[in-house]
Amino acid sequence: MDFINVLASPPHFFRLFFQLAFSLFYAALSERRKASLKRPSSADYELDATTGPFPREPLQNLPPYYTIWEDAFHTATHPDTRLRLGIDNRAESVGAHIHGSQWRADVASWPVLDTECLQGNVRFLQRAHYVLAWLVNLYVHSLPPPSDAPSSNDAPIIIPKSLAVPLAAVSRQLRIAPVLTFADTVLWNWEFVDATKPLSETNMKFRTFSGTRDEEQFYLASATAELHGIEMLRIIDDYHNLPNVTDLTTISKVARDLGRLKGVIEDISAIIQSVRAKCEPHVFYWQVRPWFEGHNPSGASWVYEGVPDSHKLDLNGPSAGQSTVMHAVDLFLDIDHKLRQRRRYPAPSSENRRAEKGFMERMRRYMPGKHRDYLLALSNTPHPVRDLAAQIPTLRDPYDGAVDALKNLRSAHIRIACLYVVSMTNSTSFWSRCPIAGQVKKEITHARGTGGNEVTVLLKAGRDATYRAMFKPPPEKYLAPPKH
Ligand code: HEM
């Protein structure tokens, strides 16, 4: 057949051709647009319908090739062979320090194991991150403290390449910071008490650095808060699955769900406060928290041997500020931590302005990459619930109720942080009783979070940003002083 002769005349042919090309182009564009406006659903982002941010099962041991890592991890946290903080100068710890020094020499002499065979297996990658991140902090914090010579305080801490290189590699795969995170201490750090029963706050046990019950209870409080947070994820998913947000039935569902959300936030607030009964502030501050410390900008730098641009890595310590469910509720309620919204009241105080505005966003780099993607999807939602409440007056009270509960949670959390961190920093009563403490106090000038932030300024800024999302005018006492 003569193809040339069956084609339309050239101008007509080109018109048809361009019409076809344009319609294909627009179809592709609108598909992309639809994809980018896809309603966020937590299940698409490694947030399980039943266990939320937790894996369904505890993470399995790594394949036999990685036995040296698993064995060293086991030894360093086993009750009989547990490593001690380097600053623990009690006589009873001398034997443990000798063992610790041999343990570190062994770790430093290991070969750099290849992590290629873990690629594509998320659970193994998580396990590798968990084991290596714990090994790094065990290694660093069991080192003897620097001597009194001023220069030795500035000497960098070298993380041996046997730990640093594979940790950086698996972190790249998971898109998470190459350091101990909230996921490593809570989400991936549990086993069933009874493996025949489902995951619940009464069926979890945790590995600890210090061997104290207080540390375990601290993890359990965070885990319990996360488990309650699963209900928040469901509420958020439900909202994004609404076919429309205009009819009366839908609006009353949104109002009811905001009421449910308020209840869950109140439960989490009670859980945070319950930590007081189970975790002793002195033990937390002096025996547990030092193990968490990551690289602190005001302290000695951490160098990841064999990792290019090691100084650019995110190396702060773990914090519940890295909890995906807490970020999700903030985004859902449109809490403006960055102080971008000019029309919210009261105006930020000068202290609020001084706080690090990017803290919450920075903490997201310490979350598994998939969870961060979920939060990004939430922040791009086409129908934020606060906008809806602005349009529909009957939703304002339920919305304000949920925000008020979140503000109260943050107020309660500030009291806990003050009790466990701020007042302990300033406490002298413990120095005489605890020989560990004297060494630590030298390094502290202000109460700082594990991320090196000035705690009260930061947490109050978060509470005030929360309060500012409410519609109803704030009581007089919350208003900023008049400008002169
Ligand atoms: C003894 C218990 C606790 C203490 C001492 C404590 C302390 C702190 C500190 C010092 C910070 C400042 C940020 C940083 O890490 O540098 C922080 C942030 C944060 N913590 Fe806690 N925390 C405790 C328990 C919890 C629990 C159980 C939760 C559970 C949800 C939680 C949620 C948060 C959140 C979401 C942030 C980010 C700041 C904010 O949203 O206001 N904390 N915490």
Side-chain angles (χ1 to χ4, degrees), residues 218 221-222 225 268 272 275 284 319-321 326 359-360 410 413 416-417 420-421 449-453 455 458-459:
F218 175 68
S222 301
I268 295 180
I272 292 178
V275 87
F284 175 77
S319 158
M326 294 305 293
F359 173 76
M360 293 303 267
R410 289 205 153 101
H413 176 262
I416 290 290
Y420 281 75
V421 180
T450 35
N453 307 283
V455 171
L458 182 83
L459 297 181

Side-chain angles (χ1 to χ4, degrees), residues 182 218-223 225-226 268 271-273 275-276 279 284 289 317-323 325-327 330 337 359-360 362-363 406 409-410 413-414 416-422 448-456 458-463 466:
F182 181 72
F218 175 68
Y219 297 148
L220 184 59
S222 301
E226 291 296 291
I268 295 180
I271 293 160
I272 292 178
Q273 294 171 78
V275 87
R276 288 186 68 160
C279 175
F284 175 77
R289 199 166 172 271
S319 158
Q322 297 158 7
S323 151
V325 295
M326 294 305 293
H327 281 247
D330 265 350
H337 288 286
F359 173 76
M360 293 303 267
R362 188 161 61 81
M363 285 298 107
L406 189 57
L409 178 152
R410 289 205 153 101
H413 176 262
I414 291 171
I416 290 290
C418 283
L419 178 67
Y420 281 75
V421 180
V422 181
R448 291 187 178 272
T450 35
N453 307 283
E454 214 174 312
V455 171
T456 43
L458 182 83
L459 297 181
K460 280 182 187 165
R463 180 206 52 197
T466 308

